[in-house]
Amino acid sequence: MSLSADFAFTQGSLQDYVDCPRRFELRFIKRMRYPALEVQEPLQFEKRMRQGARFHKLVQQHLLGVPAEALSASLADDEELARWWANYLARGLTDLPAQRHSEITLQTQLAGRRLVAKYDLLALAPGGQAVIVDWKTGARLPSQAYLRGRMQTIVYRYVLAQAGAHLYAGEGIPPERIRMDYVYVAQGGERVSFEYSAAEMSEDETLLSEMVAAIDRAEAFPLTDEERRCRFCSYRSLCDRGEAGRLEDFDVDEYEDDEEEAFTLDFDQIAEIEF
């Protein structure tokens, strides 16, 4: 069994492969349903996921023109979400270019496959900066080194450089004008930013091409040797890898991005992908 001919790689699927090739196989090749709970506290987990989804919807509505005051008035039932929203309004859109595209999907070709990225926000000034913004609602602020190595940072910048010309007055976007901002609204709107360069883009292309080619020719998908990664994996019961982890140790941001991406690309990617 192998990937279907029309399979589109994303930051989420590539991160799964990096974290555990077996997880990638179970999810994207064998298409198995999730047999286990992610965490020990399912009700709190569900609430946390609803909060994150609601926040992203608020931001999307605001960027589409719904007045902030009207959206703020809807948050009386959730003090934590109201705090995130206030942090977004205070710092979320600071110093961003005026041309903005919310919840937009781009794709490019890589090693004979499609590589797709779904962005929370692209803020561009044709001839000037092109900023990728990704909202995070997690309780922790990761290190810059950790975020730099994530597939999201690598894929999002690369795809914008390759496929964003139609948003940039028809011209290719020089990588040196691309910046990616992670905005942590639970941390007061703190930003972790990454510039880009032609050298990094070349390195990313090599890395991603080699990874896609390796997946396509793989005959076996081994389990990760880092069993700590299994604590929050829905497939761990199939691999006899222990009990669910605690919600307090769970990286909510990674899960939110992965779930939103999977839903969108499964059901309406054709309608949303820009060429």
Side-chain angles (χ1 to χ4, degrees):
M1 184 181 294
S2 59
L3 288 171
S4 62
D6 62 349
F7 182 81
F9 282 95
T10 65
Q11 61 91 12
S13 60
L14 290 170
Q15 191 66 56
D16 273 346
Y17 181 75
V18 169
D19 289 345
C20 179
R22 175 64 168 164
R23 183 194 301 167
F24 178 93
E25 179 188 34
L26 291 172
R27 184 174 186 185
F28 298 106
I29 297 178
K30 294 189 175 181
R31 294 181 174 272
M32 296 189 67
R33 304 291 294 178
Y34 302 165
L37 293 172
E38 288 85 354
V39 298
Q40 295 178 21
E41 307 93 335
L43 294 180
Q44 296 94 316
F45 175 77
E46 183 179 349
K47 176 184 176 182
R48 187 63 185 78
M49 292 303 104
R50 287 199 304 267
Q51 282 182 310
R54 189 176 173 189
F55 173 79
H56 280 80
K57 184 66 175 178
L58 285 167
V59 171
Q60 183 182 15
Q61 291 174 313
H62 184 234
L63 292 170
L64 289 173
V66 179
E69 295 79 8
L71 296 169
S72 298
S74 70
L75 302 178
D77 63 328
D78 193 323
E79 183 177 338
E80 185 174 30
L81 183 56
R83 178 171 59 85
W84 298 349
W85 178 244
N87 290 336
Y88 157 78
L89 292 176
R91 300 186 61 185
L93 301 176
T94 304
D95 299 328
L96 293 179
Q99 179 183 314
R100 296 169 183 176
H101 305 270
S102 176
E103 300 294 329
I104 187 170
T105 304
L106 302 178
Q107 73 167 356
T108 189
Q109 291 291 315
L110 181 78
R113 291 282 191 177
R114 286 184 298 153
L115 179 63
V116 179
K118 184 175 185 296
Y119 301 93
D120 286 348
L121 175 65
L122 293 178
L124 304 102
Q129 273 194 318
V131 183
I132 302 163
V133 182
D134 196 79
W135 315 111
K136 299 296 189 186
T137 62
R140 295 185 180 87
L141 186 67
S143 70
Q144 192 167 51
Y146 171 81
L147 287 173
R148 186 180 297 278
R150 298 291 297 175
M151 284 292 110
Q152 187 174 21
T153 305
I154 294 168
V155 168
Y156 278 23
R157 294 183 302 170
Y158 178 78
V159 171
L160 180 58
Q162 294 293 321
H166 66 290
L167 303 173
Y168 200 72
E171 301 178 0
I173 304 177
E176 290 79 8
R177 293 181 182 173
I178 292 175
R179 187 181 84 227
M180 182 163 184
D181 289 354
Y182 291 102
V183 181
Y184 286 82
V185 294
Q187 309 297 323
E190 187 74 21
R191 291 175 185 243
V192 182
S193 299
F194 297 93
E195 306 290 342
Y196 209 33
S197 69
E200 284 181 286
M201 186 173 72
S202 178
E203 292 172 1
D204 290 345
E205 183 167 67
T206 298
L207 171 68
L208 294 168
S209 297
E210 290 177 351
M211 192 179 300
V212 168
I215 293 170
D216 271 333
R217 65 172 179 265
E219 297 182 359
F221 293 84
L223 281 168
T224 179
D225 292 329
E226 297 185 45
E227 292 195 25
R228 62 180 178 80
R229 291 179 172 167
C230 304
R231 289 179 300 162
F232 304 107
C233 178
S234 300
Y235 298 110
R236 68 183 172 279
S237 60
L238 300 179
C239 308
D240 195 22
R241 281 289 177 95
E243 300 295 325
R246 303 280 302 176
L247 181 59
E248 64 187 25
D249 299 318
F250 185 70
D251 191 332
V252 170
D253 288 321
E254 290 180 22
Y255 187 89
E256 283 180 343
D257 289 335
D258 196 40
E259 289 301 290
E260 181 183 6
E261 174 185 88
F263 178 84
T264 302
L265 296 180
D266 278 348
F267 292 97
D268 53 36
Q269 66 174 341
I270 295 175
E272 290 202 22
I273 290 175
E274 299 285 346
F275 292 88

